[in-house]
Amino acid sequence: MVKAPEVHKFTLTDRNGTPHAYETTAFRPSVGSRLRAQIAAFIAEPIVVAVYDAVRGQDTDVGKVAAAARMALQAMPTDLIPAILDTTFRDGMLMSAEGAFDDAYSRNYAELDSALWEVVKFNDFLSFPGISLSNLKLPEMPISGSNGEHSRPPA
């Protein structure tokens, strides 16, 4: 019996302040393990050290770890970004459908970055032996809109 994939729902706000409902499912391990390896290649060693220190209770600012991880995600090859959103729906539209990705994120990169972050956290792609990013209490990361206001993705 095949188990139904776990679903994660969240809402993000675009550059115009319009909220968008997201739904994503966990990747099958055959696909997720490949994506995880590609993503891990872009996570710098200092981030891993900071995560270990944070989990061990050292005096590490977990917010800096989260910010560094998000910045590393922005440095990924452009062909990997749509692959991460392959199982993600935005307002009922599958992001891998023809034109959906471009329509959703044209001049809307802050929302794209936040959607990537949510999917990476949900799939636990930034986990290491004995450590899962999703187990850390990370602060919400503000998203700047074009009007200077901030929205915060739900935890």
Side-chain angles (χ1 to χ4, degrees), residues 70-94:
R70 285 183 71 155
M71 290 302 292
L73 290 175
Q74 293 174 357
M76 289 186 302
T78 55
D79 61 334
L80 184 56
I81 293 170
I84 292 171
L85 296 176
D86 194 52
T87 64
T88 301
F89 290 83
R90 178 184 184 260
D91 295 335
M93 176 67 71
L94 183 62

Side-chain angles (χ1 to χ4, degrees), residues 2 11 17 25 28-29 31-32 37 44 56-57 86 94 97 100 102 106 109 115 120 128-130 132 136:
V2 178
T11 300
T25 57
R28 295 182 329 270
V31 175
R56 289 189 350 225
D86 194 52
L94 183 62
D102 290 335
S106 178
Y109 300 109
V120 166
F128 305 97
S132 169
L136 293 176

Side-chain angles (χ1 to χ4, degrees), residues 14 20-22 88-95 104-105 108 111:
D14 68 17
H20 297 279
Y22 280 82
T88 301
F89 290 83
R90 178 184 184 260
D91 295 335
M93 176 67 71
L94 183 62
M95 289 293 90
Y105 301 119
N108 196 18
E111 183 185 350

Side-chain angles (χ1 to χ4, degrees), residues 24-144:
T24 191
T25 57
F27 280 95
R28 295 182 329 270
S30 58
V31 175
S33 60
R34 180 182 49 80
L35 287 172
R36 182 184 175 275
Q38 291 175 308
I39 292 167
F42 294 95
I43 303 302
E45 184 178 330
I47 296 171
V48 176
V49 171
V51 169
Y52 271 104
D53 286 345
V55 170
R56 289 189 350 225
Q58 302 294 325
D59 187 25
T60 299
D61 184 347
V62 178
K64 289 181 183 177
V65 174
R70 285 183 71 155
M71 290 302 292
L73 290 175
Q74 293 174 357
M76 289 186 302
T78 55
D79 61 334
L80 184 56
I81 293 170
I84 292 171
L85 296 176
D86 194 52
T87 64
T88 301
F89 290 83
R90 178 184 184 260
D91 295 335
M93 176 67 71
L94 183 62
M95 289 293 90
S96 60
E98 182 72 32
F101 182 89
D102 290 335
D103 288 347
Y105 301 119
S106 178
R107 296 182 54 213
N108 196 18
Y109 300 109
E111 183 185 350
L112 171 60
D113 290 345
S114 294
L116 287 170
W117 180 243
E118 286 291 325
V119 173
V120 166
K121 280 191 326 181
F122 172 67
N123 280 279
D124 213 10
F125 286 150
L126 298 181
S127 61
F128 305 97
I131 297 175
S132 169
L133 180 68
S134 60
N135 292 337
L136 293 176
K137 298 293 185 201
L138 299 176
E140 294 177 341
M141 301 297 288
I143 306 163
S144 294

